[in-house]
Amino acid sequence: MSAQRSVFPQIDPDEVSSNPSGNRPFREVAARALSRRSVLAGGAVAAAGFLVAGGGTAPAAAAAPAAPAGTPGRGGSRPFLGFTPVPTSDADALTVPDGYETQVLIPWGTPIRPGGPAWRKDAANSAADQAEQIGMNHDGMHFFPLGRGSEQNRRGMLVLNHEYIDQQLLFPDGDAEITPEKVAKALAAHGVSVVEIAAGRDGRWQVVDSPRARRVTAATPVTFSGPVGANHPALRANTAPQGTINNCSHGVTPWGTYLACEENFNAYFGTEDPDWEPTPQQARYGINREGFGYRWHEADPRFDVAVNGNELNRFGWVVEIDPMNPRATPVKRTALGRIKHEGCEITEARGRVVAYTGDDQDGDYIYKFVGSAPWRAQRALGRSPLDHGTLYVARFDDDGTGRWLPLTHGKGPLTKANGWADQADVLLRTREAADALGATPMDRPEWIAVNPRNQDVYCTLTNGSGRGGAANPRTPNPYGHIIRWSEKNGDNTATTFDWDIFVLAGDPAYDDRTELTEENRFGSPDGLWFDPDGRLWILTDVSNSSQNLPEKGYDHIGNNQMLAADPRTGEIRRFLTGPRGAEITGVITTPDQRTMFVNVQHPGEATVAWGEPTPENPRAVSNWPDFDPQGRPRSATVVIRRTDGGRIGA
Ligand code: FEO
Ligand code: CA
Ligand code: CA
């Protein structure tokens, strides 16, 4: 997410730390140069770049010559990155390389079943309509294939998050007055869409009728599982548990479910009670009286922190959704902790589930959950593998090693004597527990991705103040970087790791520590995904307070973009640029990698560079993708194919 407010955003709320812990472990460790790159790359790559702890960096990732290696295991007849990079762009358009074509699919407001309530370009759809339509601000996404064999590349369930809303675009009158009907529509525009899509003979994709299609919104009944059970007193509020909000990125389990992650939940709450003050716990999660400025509390006491404070405890979780069973109640898996979950990358080691999740706020932490037993055995016992295990938080030491610290009640400082009642208490106050353990404050952890070829883990650190030592080497860090680590012996359940920095983003015209060039400079990396070949896709979210602005050092970087990287050589090429005001969010392909789905989020949002949409002129910043003179910009999924039918990126 970038800016949520309807006025010009001067700063993103995520860019403001709410971590007062002062954690900066091992500040005294002497700066010393070292390279982990050759270790992590398995010796395959000369260590041209290395990290100099606490100071300058010379990352190898950058403008390497054309990748020498072919697509692994496929004969190597084409380069690993086999497309011509696209230039940066500030046009109100989506661009892809020569030889590729695009199709806009399921923009906001599309009925989830053919024949459902039609999109109204004047934003006059009701709350009930919206609950049967695709939500706003598409984010994390996965494609669950249907059928057998090659049919799986032509039909499936597309499941995607709708992170937040823009009230100026959602309502005909913007956010003039907040009414119960407007809150209901706003709730319905949030959550998750589950739609069945299929490709026709011409390769064009469309939504098809499906008994599995559904919307999970911010008003859908939900339940809780794990140490903070559904009956926990901290979850008692003025309604039955309902809804998921600010679903940013996602995860996919080996048993075929989708994990929607709740990120900036704090920002939906507020109050007009002059006597209300946040508790220390609430302050640690950034709860205040304004939030994003949506003002829902003016029309719905559910969101008034002064009268319904426990509602807050129902958010900040990872939510499991079955994409094949529309009657299955979404379950909040509390063992994964309560933070501003960006995403939840799942991998498997020694038969166990390992879930990596970042807490996206400046100075917050990276976590991982390790199942207590092999997941198949747990499921055979009728237990969720996500309910039983250990949650850890990461400490990145300046010498290039790191350690996972267990958030386990009774261990270390997390004792009754120190005020920790039980494991549920630790999880409800995950951030404070991680503070107590001495976790490393990071520059806004966003998506995490595991390399399918060697199990190395990559995490985007989108930007931040650089308080967290050598792992966050620029102070401040307006462009962000990508960190990676290799768990001990390649075992993702391990409690120690080696880390290095894969790339420092930025523009060499403003920061000579970055080695990017015209064909790959970018800033504020956010989305991150490995395709099955091991290509690393990087998606950017430069905030609307910086995008396109010379005074922010972002005038040569253009609109938000998607790039592809070769993790072995560090080569990076720009693949796609988005329309004005938008960020690029979710990405996934069909199993054959010949169709790619990419989400374009919040085109046309208020930006300092381009202006502000209003009820009178919702098209002030962008009119993508419809370019209808009476319409309005809409988030959408874009289908990308090669005109020769080949694999995307190869
Ligand atoms: Fe929802 Fe951290 O981006
Ligand atoms: Ca994001
Ligand atoms: Ca972001």
Side-chain angles (χ1 to χ4, degrees):
M1 128 169 345
S2 58
Q4 291 81 20
R5 291 165 205 257
S6 55
V7 294
F8 287 149
Q10 293 309 311
I11 191 162
D12 275 3
D14 315 333
E15 291 171 6
V16 180
S17 175
S18 65
N19 180 353
S21 69
N23 280 355
R24 174 55 196 95
F26 304 98
R27 187 189 293 280
E28 70 281 7
V29 173
R32 56 193 162 109
L34 80 166
S35 172
R36 296 280 162 189
R37 178 164 303 280
S38 54
V39 176
L40 289 171
V45 181
F50 53 85
L51 173 70
V52 182
T57 45
T71 302
R74 311 260 182 162
S77 55
R78 285 180 73 106
F80 192 55
L81 303 180
F83 59 90
T84 306
V86 299
T88 57
S89 168
D90 59 9
D92 191 24
L94 185 115
T95 57
V96 291
D98 289 343
Y100 284 80
E101 59 189 13
T102 64
Q103 174 202 345
V104 173
L105 186 72
I106 58 166
W108 160 49
T110 305
I112 60 167
R113 291 181 199 84
W119 153 253
R120 290 188 57 171
K121 63 186 175 186
D122 58 359
N125 283 115
S126 66
D129 292 347
Q130 179 64 76
E132 296 294 320
Q133 296 173 328
I134 298 290
M136 215 176 203
N137 282 352
H138 303 30
D139 209 308
M141 169 170 61
H142 191 70
F143 178 79
F144 293 88
L146 292 170
R148 292 166 168 252
S150 64
E151 196 187 349
Q152 299 202 327
N153 300 311
R154 307 185 65 81
R155 194 163 72 90
M157 302 306 297
L158 195 66
V159 184
L160 62 152
N161 291 344
H162 301 290
E163 188 181 25
Y164 68 105
I165 55 167
D166 186 330
Q167 298 196 144
Q168 294 297 343
L169 297 173
L170 184 65
F171 305 121
D173 65 346
D175 62 358
E177 184 196 353
I178 302 303
T179 63
E181 166 69 14
K182 285 172 81 170
V183 173
K185 184 177 180 183
L187 297 177
H190 278 79
V192 177
S193 290
V194 181
V195 286
E196 186 168 337
I197 57 172
R201 284 185 190 282
D202 58 359
R204 287 185 70 79
W205 289 74
Q206 58 179 3
V207 174
V208 296
D209 200 10
S210 174
R212 302 179 193 87
R214 74 158 149 172
R215 286 296 320 284
V216 172
T217 74
T220 300
V222 297
T223 189
F224 294 80
S225 190
V228 188
N231 297 318
H232 194 283
L235 299 178
R236 274 182 216 136
N238 74 353
T239 60
Q242 54 178 309
T244 181
I245 43 174
N246 211 260
N247 301 105
C248 188
S249 181
H250 71 295
V252 183
T253 66
W255 51 95
T257 58
Y258 181 86
L259 303 174
C261 300
E262 296 179 332
E263 193 189 8
N264 293 298
F265 67 91
N266 59 308
Y268 292 81
F269 295 84
T271 189
E272 293 176 288
D273 180 343
D275 297 328
W276 178 84
E277 290 293 335
T279 64
Q281 180 199 346
Q282 290 170 342
R284 184 66 182 83
Y285 284 92
I287 315 298
N288 58 44
R289 52 178 70 248
E290 285 91 29
F292 286 157
Y294 287 164
R295 298 166 20 234
W296 293 355
H297 60 274
E298 293 176 12
D300 186 346
R302 184 182 164 201
F303 297 98
D304 189 326
V305 288
V307 302
N308 194 34
N310 276 0
E311 185 73 14
L312 286 163
N313 296 328
R314 294 172 167 182
F315 298 96
W317 304 107
V318 172
V319 191
E320 187 173 16
I321 294 170
D322 186 342
M324 302 298 171
N325 179 5
R327 285 167 298 283
T329 302
V331 184
K332 301 200 175 186
R333 296 292 178 195
T334 63
L336 276 62
R338 177 169 173 264
I339 57 172
K340 295 184 182 177
H341 286 281
E342 175 76 16
C344 188
E345 170 79 348
I346 302 271
T347 191
E348 206 179 313
R350 298 195 293 123
R352 297 165 194 236
V353 158
V354 177
Y356 292 98
T357 180
D359 186 353
D360 179 9
Q361 188 155 358
D362 185 27
D364 263 290
Y365 309 131
I366 295 173
Y367 297 81
K368 89 169 169 182
F369 170 87
V370 177
S372 60
W375 67 265
R376 285 185 177 82
Q378 304 236 36
R379 287 191 36 98
L381 294 171
R383 314 199 316 184
S384 169
L386 297 175
D387 284 349
H388 305 275
T390 302
L391 185 67
Y392 298 89
V393 67
R395 193 183 76 199
F396 290 81
D397 294 335
D398 284 355
D399 64 358
T401 66
R403 183 168 289 277
W404 292 105
L405 312 167
L407 291 137
T408 303
H409 184 254
K411 278 196 180 169
L414 305 178
T415 59
K416 277 209 164 68
N418 286 337
W420 298 93
D422 52 22
Q423 186 63 21
D425 189 25
V426 169
L427 293 167
L428 281 160
R429 298 191 282 146
T430 303
R431 281 184 162 186
E432 290 167 274
D435 293 343
L437 291 172
T440 300
M442 307 298 284
D443 288 344
R444 295 189 54 199
E446 301 254 26
W447 290 44
I448 296 174
V450 175
N451 187 339
R453 304 188 70 221
N454 62 8
Q455 294 299 114
D456 281 355
V457 191
Y458 290 64
C459 179
T460 44
L461 297 164
T462 195
N463 52 55
S465 56
R467 288 193 290 134
N472 303 274
R474 289 184 292 193
T475 308
N477 180 14
Y479 294 114
H481 57 288
I482 299 176
I483 196 166
R484 71 175 159 188
W485 60 93
S486 187
E487 304 272 14
K488 186 169 186 180
N489 299 325
D491 174 358
N492 294 85
T493 70
T495 54
T496 57
F497 57 89
D498 292 325
W499 63 266
D500 79 344
I501 289 177
F502 177 63
V503 62
L504 292 179
D507 179 350
Y510 293 104
D511 185 344
D512 60 12
R513 290 168 292 185
T514 178
E515 294 191 347
L516 298 175
T517 67
E518 223 168 281
E519 67 179 38
N520 61 15
R521 64 189 169 222
F522 67 97
S524 300
D526 186 339
L528 200 63
W529 178 68
F530 275 102
D531 69 25
D533 289 342
R535 243 173 248 101
L536 181 61
W537 296 87
I538 303 166
L539 295 77
T540 75
D541 173 21
V542 180
S543 86
N544 288 336
S545 56
S546 299
Q547 209 177 126
N548 311 105
L549 295 175
E551 62 270 31
K552 298 293 181 90
Y554 267 102
D555 52 329
H556 306 142
I557 284 179
N559 297 350
N560 277 306
Q561 53 185 284
M562 180 168 77
L563 310 97
D566 182 341
R568 301 162 301 178
T569 61
E571 184 193 9
I572 300 175
R573 290 187 187 185
R574 188 180 303 106
F575 180 85
L576 170 154
T577 60
R580 289 181 183 163
E583 73 175 274
I584 311 300
T585 53
V587 59
I588 190 69
T589 63
T590 50
D592 66 1
Q593 298 176 245
R594 290 166 201 275
T595 300
M596 175 178 266
F597 304 98
V598 175
N599 279 336
V600 175
Q601 188 192 88
H602 65 73
E605 193 171 76
T607 81
V608 174
W610 300 110
E612 181 180 9
T614 60
E616 298 70 38
N617 183 16
R619 299 164 296 279
V621 174
S622 169
N623 201 5
W624 188 89
D626 303 330
F627 297 104
D628 181 325
Q630 269 80 49
R632 58 192 56 226
R634 297 200 271 173
S635 294
T637 302
V638 175
V639 182
I640 301 175
R641 290 175 56 81
R642 256 167 62 181
T643 50
D644 67 1
R647 284 205 318 288
I648 308 299

